[in-house]
Amino acid sequence: MSNAIQSVMHETRVFQPPKALVDTATISGLDAYRTLCKAIDDDFDGFWSKQATEQLEWLKPFTRVLDESDAPFYKWFDDGQLNVSANCLDKHVAAGKGEKTALIFESDDAKVTHVSYAELLTRVCRFANGIKALGYKKGDRAIIYMPMSVEAVVAMQACARLGITHSVVFGGFSAKSLQERIVDVGATLVITADEQVRGGKTIPLKPAVEDAFKMGGCDAVKKTIVYRRTGGKVNWDEARDVWMHDVEANQADTCEPVAVDAEHPLFILYTSGSTGKPKGVQHASAGYLLWALLTVKWTFDAKDSDVYWCTADVGWITGHTYITYGPLAAGLTQVVFEGVPTYPNASRFWEMIDRHKVTTFYTAPTAIRSLVKAADTNPDTHPKHFDLSSLRILGTVGEPINPEAWMWYYKEVGRERCPIVDTWWQTETGGHMITPLPGATPMKPGSCTLPLPGIAAAIVDEAGGDVEQGNGGFLVVKRPWPGMIRNIWGDPERFKSSYFPPELKGYYLAGDGAQRDSDGYFWIMGRIDDVLNVSGHRLGTMEVESALVSHELVAEAAVVGRPDDTTGEAVVAFVVLKGARPEGDEALAIAKTLRDWVGREIGPIAKPKDIRFGDNLPKTRSGKIMRRLLRVVAKGEEVTQDISTLENPAILEQLAKPI
Ligand code: WT7
C-alpha cells in the first residue's frame, strides 16, 4: 500500500458552505449532520425502516429491514414489494405534479423538448404495454444500447415498470463488448437506436448490434427494438427487428405497474475489475431506489424549484442513479443532453446552464479540465461570458479533482457562491458515499470530505485494522447500506472474493486507497488494483492487454496507467510483437493498427494513448512482468527502484522512448 501513497493532503484552504444555503438546506450545518449520523448509529434498523416507509410507496409493506443471515448477500426490506417506475412517475402525477416538466431534452444540434411528468408516464406506459405485447415479462433481461435521449429514459423506466431487469451498455462500447454483455446477462431483448449523434457526427448503433449478433451466442435474443433517431440506413430482419414507434403505436396510455420483490434485480451494469472480464454489478429495487432518492435529497439538497443537470451518460452508473432514477423519484426537473461539452464549441455547458436556468450542475473533473484548457486557448468560451446566476450547487464525480480545477470551477463557474460536492462513490455503491453536504460541510479542494449519514467508511490495513490518522490504507465500508451491490451476475464467488475478502472482517472493500486528515476528511488516492480511471471511466489493464494479445501480430502486452493532465490517467501499452521489433514508420503504422484494434475490441475510450515496442518486457527471473517499473518508464522517469530481481535490465532503456 505505502508505495501507492503520495501525499494528497497538502491542501490547507477551507471554504465554508454559503450561508444562504445553510439556512435553507435539508441538512443544515455540521451539527445537524452529526445528529443525523448519531441517530442512525443509535437505531440503525429504526432509521432505515422509517426512511423506506416515508420515502417509498410500497405495494406490499415490508416487515424486515436488514437481513444479514446470508452475509455478504445482504437483503433489505426483503418481504416488501413495490414498483420502481411507479415511485418515479405515478407518485408525482397522483400528487398533482403531472404538468411539471420532468425532462428538458437538448439535442446535439440544440433542439429543445420539454416532457412533463404526465407525458413521461404516458410514454413509459405505452412502451411498456408494447414490450408486454411482444411477450416479455417480469424476470426477463433486456440490453439497452441507446444514445442519450428521452427514449433511453423511457426504455429503462418501461423495463422497471414490468420488472424486466435492464443492462445498459454505453453507446461508446464496441460490438464485441456489447456481444459479451448480451451473452453474460442472458438477454432476450435488445433496445437500441439506428444511430447516435454526438458532436455533429453520427455514429451507428444498430449495425453494431448486428455485428454483435454475428459474433454468436446471442440466439436467446428474440426481438430488437429500434428507436429511430436519425433515419440513417439500417439492415432489417423482419422477424426480429421492430421500430420503437411501432411498438408504442396503438397501445393504451396506462399500464399497471408490476409488483416486484424489494430484492428483485432492477438492473445489472458491467464495470471493469482487475481481471479481463467485466463484472455484472447487480443492484436491487427498493434499497437502490431509496439510496438514489435520499442522496439526491441530501447531496444536491433537492428543492422543488430546482433545474438539475447531470451531464453523465445513462450507460454509466451516474446516469442510472442521477438521471433515470434519483431525480425522477425526487420529482425534479432535469436537463438531459445528447451531445458533448465541446460542440459546437467549448462554451456549450455554460450556454445551456444559462438557457435552462440550471440550479444544480453535476459533471466530471475531466470535463472541467478540458474546458479550462479551452477557455485559455479560446477566451470566448470562458464561463464569464454567460449568466450563470441560476446556479446553486456544483458537483463532481468519477475521479479525484485536482485543486487547480476545483478552484476554477468554484470561482469561474460558481462565482464563489456555490458549494462543490465532490462525490466519491462507485458502480457498486449505487449512490454517493463520501461527499460534502452543500449546506453543512466546509470544503477542502481535492477532498471528498465526510461520509454520508449511515455510511461506515473507514481506512484499514491488510488485516482490517484501523490505520492511524494520516496514514494511508484501504478504503472500506464496515456496515451494509441500502444501495449496495447485491451480487456479481452469475458469479457469487467472485462477488465475495472481490468485495468481502476474508481477511477484512467482512467489510466492503472499495478498491481505492485513501487517507484521512485531522478533521476526519477523506482523501482518495486512486485504485489499489489493476483498474485505471481514464476520463472518469473505469478500465481494467487486463482487459486492454487481452484485447492487444488477441491481435495476430502481438505476442505479449502489458498495460499501465500514466497521470494525464486532462484525462486523469492515460493508457500506456508495452507490446512485444511475434515478429521483429518495429521501428520508425513501421512502428507508427503498427501502433495505429493496434490502437484501432483495441477501439474495435472494447471501445474508443480504451485506445492506448502511447504504445511502445520492445524485444521483451521487464520480467523477474520467474517470468513475472514488473509493472511497477513499467509505470515509472511510462511517466518518462528514471528508474531508481531496486531492479536486482530484474532478469533483463537493458530492456528498460529500450522501452523508455516513445515511438
Ligand atoms: C471509481 C469508481 C462514481 C460514479 C462514476 C464512476 C473513482 C469516483 C471519485 C471522487 C476520487 C473517485 C474511484 C472509484 N472515483 N468518484 N469523487 N474522487 N475518486 O464509477 O466507474 O464505478 O468508478 O472512480 O477510484 O473506485 P465507477
Side-chain angles (χ1 to χ4, degrees):
M1 197 50 234
S2 57
N3 262 350
I5 299 172
Q6 304 129 4
S7 191
V8 283
M9 305 195 299
H10 296 314
E11 187 59 53
T12 51
R13 285 171 290 193
V14 179
F15 296 84
Q16 296 301 324
K19 184 168 181 312
L21 242 148
V22 178
D23 288 347
T24 55
T26 309
I27 302 179
S28 165
L30 266 187
D31 286 345
Y33 160 76
R34 293 207 181 96
T35 306
L36 191 56
C37 293
K38 186 163 182 308
I40 303 176
D41 280 347
D42 290 350
D43 183 11
F44 192 79
D45 278 21
F47 176 83
W48 289 118
S49 171
K50 183 168 180 287
Q51 292 299 331
T53 309
E54 287 176 3
Q55 306 281 348
L56 301 181
E57 287 186 354
W58 294 86
L59 294 167
K60 175 176 171 254
F62 62 92
T63 65
R64 291 193 291 267
V65 179
L66 171 63
D67 178 355
E68 305 187 82
S69 59
D70 191 22
F73 300 94
Y74 296 102
K75 297 190 191 81
W76 286 85
F77 320 115
D78 79 310
D79 60 344
Q81 289 195 326
L82 84 180
N83 180 277
V84 168
S85 137
N87 273 278
C88 293
L89 303 171
D90 308 52
K91 181 175 86 181
H92 307 305
V93 175
K97 279 172 56 177
E99 296 310 307
K100 181 174 178 175
T101 300
L103 308 178
I104 302 173
F105 176 71
E106 181 161 322
S107 69
D108 193 60
D109 61 352
K111 289 200 183 65
V112 175
T113 321
H114 287 243
V115 184
S116 69
Y117 271 92
E119 286 163 345
L120 187 59
L121 174 60
T122 304
R123 285 218 51 193
V124 168
C125 286
R126 293 173 71 94
F127 190 47
N129 284 329
I131 295 176
K132 211 164 39 173
L134 292 173
Y136 291 99
K137 56 178 191 319
K138 176 160 90 180
D140 290 339
R141 283 163 317 276
I143 287 275
I144 297 180
Y145 186 60
M146 294 178 85
M148 282 301 291
S149 51
V150 171
E151 285 69 18
V153 176
V154 167
M156 293 165 81
Q157 286 283 346
C159 286
R161 196 165 191 87
L162 298 176
I164 295 173
T165 300
H166 62 64
S167 184
V168 184
V169 177
F170 173 57
F173 275 123
S174 66
K176 176 88 186 305
S177 298
L178 176 65
Q179 182 256 3
E180 286 166 1
R181 287 157 176 74
I182 293 172
V183 173
D184 193 82
V185 89
T188 53
L189 171 65
V190 172
I191 308 173
T192 188
D194 49 1
E195 297 179 314
Q196 58 179 327
V197 187
R198 282 165 70 84
K201 294 193 208 84
T202 55
I203 307 153
L205 285 175
K206 169 82 162 61
V209 175
E210 285 157 23
D211 288 345
F213 288 163
K214 280 186 210 132
M215 291 172 193
C218 304
D219 291 346
V221 177
K222 295 295 172 246
K223 290 285 171 196
T224 305
I225 302 177
V226 188
Y227 158 50
R228 185 184 273 154
R229 167 62 185 88
T230 63
K233 207 181 139 8
V234 287
N235 294 325
W236 207 253
D237 176 335
E238 286 300 336
R240 187 193 62 211
D241 300 340
V242 44
W243 290 109
M244 186 171 182
H245 53 260
D246 288 334
V247 173
E248 289 168 297
N250 307 319
Q251 293 295 341
D253 287 348
T254 57
C255 170
E256 195 61 32
V258 173
V260 301
D261 291 342
E263 285 295 313
H264 180 74
L266 175 63
F267 64 86
I268 294 156
L269 186 61
Y270 286 83
T271 190
S272 296
S274 47
T275 72
K277 193 171 177 274
K279 307 184 266 202
V281 173
Q282 180 183 324
H283 277 287
S285 293
Y288 168 80
L289 186 66
L290 176 61
W291 194 234
L293 173 55
L294 263 187
T295 52
V296 165
K297 290 188 174 178
W298 287 347
T299 311
F300 297 123
D301 187 44
K303 296 276 189 277
D304 202 35
S305 52
D306 277 336
V307 177
Y308 163 100
W309 182 18
C310 165
T311 68
D313 191 287
V314 290
W316 308 106
I317 190 69
T318 310
H320 282 60
T321 309
Y322 297 108
I323 296 176
T324 302
Y325 293 112
L328 291 181
L332 294 182
T333 294
Q334 68 173 319
V335 175
V336 172
F337 179 41
E338 180 180 46
V340 297
T342 47
Y343 178 83
N345 60 56
S347 60
R348 183 68 183 264
F349 277 0
W350 324 133
E351 247 169 63
M352 284 180 62
I353 291 171
D354 189 350
R355 173 153 57 242
H356 302 299
K357 301 297 165 223
V358 171
T359 59
T360 313
F361 181 66
Y362 191 34
T363 195
T366 294
I368 298 165
R369 286 192 295 265
S370 71
L371 297 178
V372 173
K373 274 196 192 158
D376 284 346
T377 39
N378 178 4
D380 289 348
T381 66
H382 194 282
K384 70 179 172 213
H385 303 299
F386 300 87
D387 178 5
L388 307 183
S389 57
S390 56
L391 286 172
R392 274 189 340 114
I393 294 167
L394 301 173
T396 76
V397 57
E399 52 183 321
I401 182 164
N402 48 310
E404 301 72 43
W406 195 100
M407 286 308 305
W408 190 88
Y409 198 28
Y410 187 69
K411 282 194 171 149
E412 310 299 337
V413 182
R415 316 265 154 96
E416 299 182 47
R417 291 183 304 104
C418 307
I420 298 179
V421 291
D422 174 354
T423 59
W424 178 86
W425 60 295
Q426 311 176 291
T427 304
E428 294 88 341
T429 68
H432 302 153
M433 299 293 279
I434 309 179
T435 173
L437 293 169
T441 319
M443 294 156 280
K444 300 183 190 180
S447 169
C448 52
T449 76
L450 300 169
L452 284 174
I455 299 304
I459 300 172
V460 301
D461 58 25
E462 280 86 354
D466 287 316
V467 301
E468 262 175 60
Q469 180 261 308
N471 287 352
F474 303 120
L475 179 55
V476 298
V477 186
K478 292 185 170 180
R479 245 182 148 169
W481 66 101
M484 72 192 298
I485 176 175
R486 296 306 199 269
N487 208 340
I488 292 177
W489 183 254
D491 202 345
E493 284 310 314
R494 192 174 175 198
F495 169 74
K496 282 197 279 189
S497 60
S498 306
Y499 301 115
F500 299 92
E503 62 278 15
L504 291 187
K505 304 179 175 171
Y507 302 156
Y508 167 80
L509 176 66
D512 280 330
Q515 266 173 299
R516 260 181 125 161
D517 68 17
S518 51
D519 291 322
Y521 278 31
F522 285 78
W523 297 79
I524 305 295
M525 298 179 307
R527 302 287 306 190
I528 52 168
D529 50 12
D530 293 319
V531 170
L532 306 183
N533 192 323
V534 180
S535 303
H537 300 319
R538 228 161 111 168
L539 203 60
T541 53
M542 302 250 281
E543 262 176 274
V544 186
E545 287 168 8
S546 317
L548 284 166
V549 296
S550 70
H551 191 278
E552 56 181 10
L553 291 176
V554 177
E556 213 178 356
V559 167
V560 299
R562 172 178 75 201
D564 185 278
D565 279 353
T566 309
T567 58
E569 271 186 297
V571 178
V572 181
F574 296 91
V575 174
V576 181
L577 296 184
K578 287 176 185 159
R581 174 173 174 267
E583 290 187 85
D585 286 348
E586 196 200 353
L588 288 172
I590 297 178
K592 180 174 184 315
T593 305
L594 294 181
R595 221 173 265 132
D596 292 344
W597 175 262
V598 172
R600 274 199 304 277
E601 287 288 295
I602 304 174
I605 49 172
K607 285 186 180 182
K609 184 159 181 185
D610 189 351
I611 295 188
R612 301 186 192 176
F613 297 101
D615 294 318
N616 202 342
L617 296 172
K619 286 180 189 154
T620 61
R621 286 185 182 87
S622 58
K624 206 169 168 310
I625 297 172
M626 297 183 76
R627 278 160 210 284
R628 65 182 172 89
L629 299 181
L630 288 176
R631 278 192 278 270
V632 177
V633 169
K635 277 195 266 187
E637 290 173 1
E638 203 72 41
V639 174
T640 53
Q641 286 98 328
D642 177 19
I643 53 166
S644 55
T645 52
L646 184 59
E647 167 86 7
N648 49 349
I651 203 72
L652 292 179
E653 205 179 316
Q654 190 178 64
L655 295 171
K657 291 181 286 292
I659 50 171

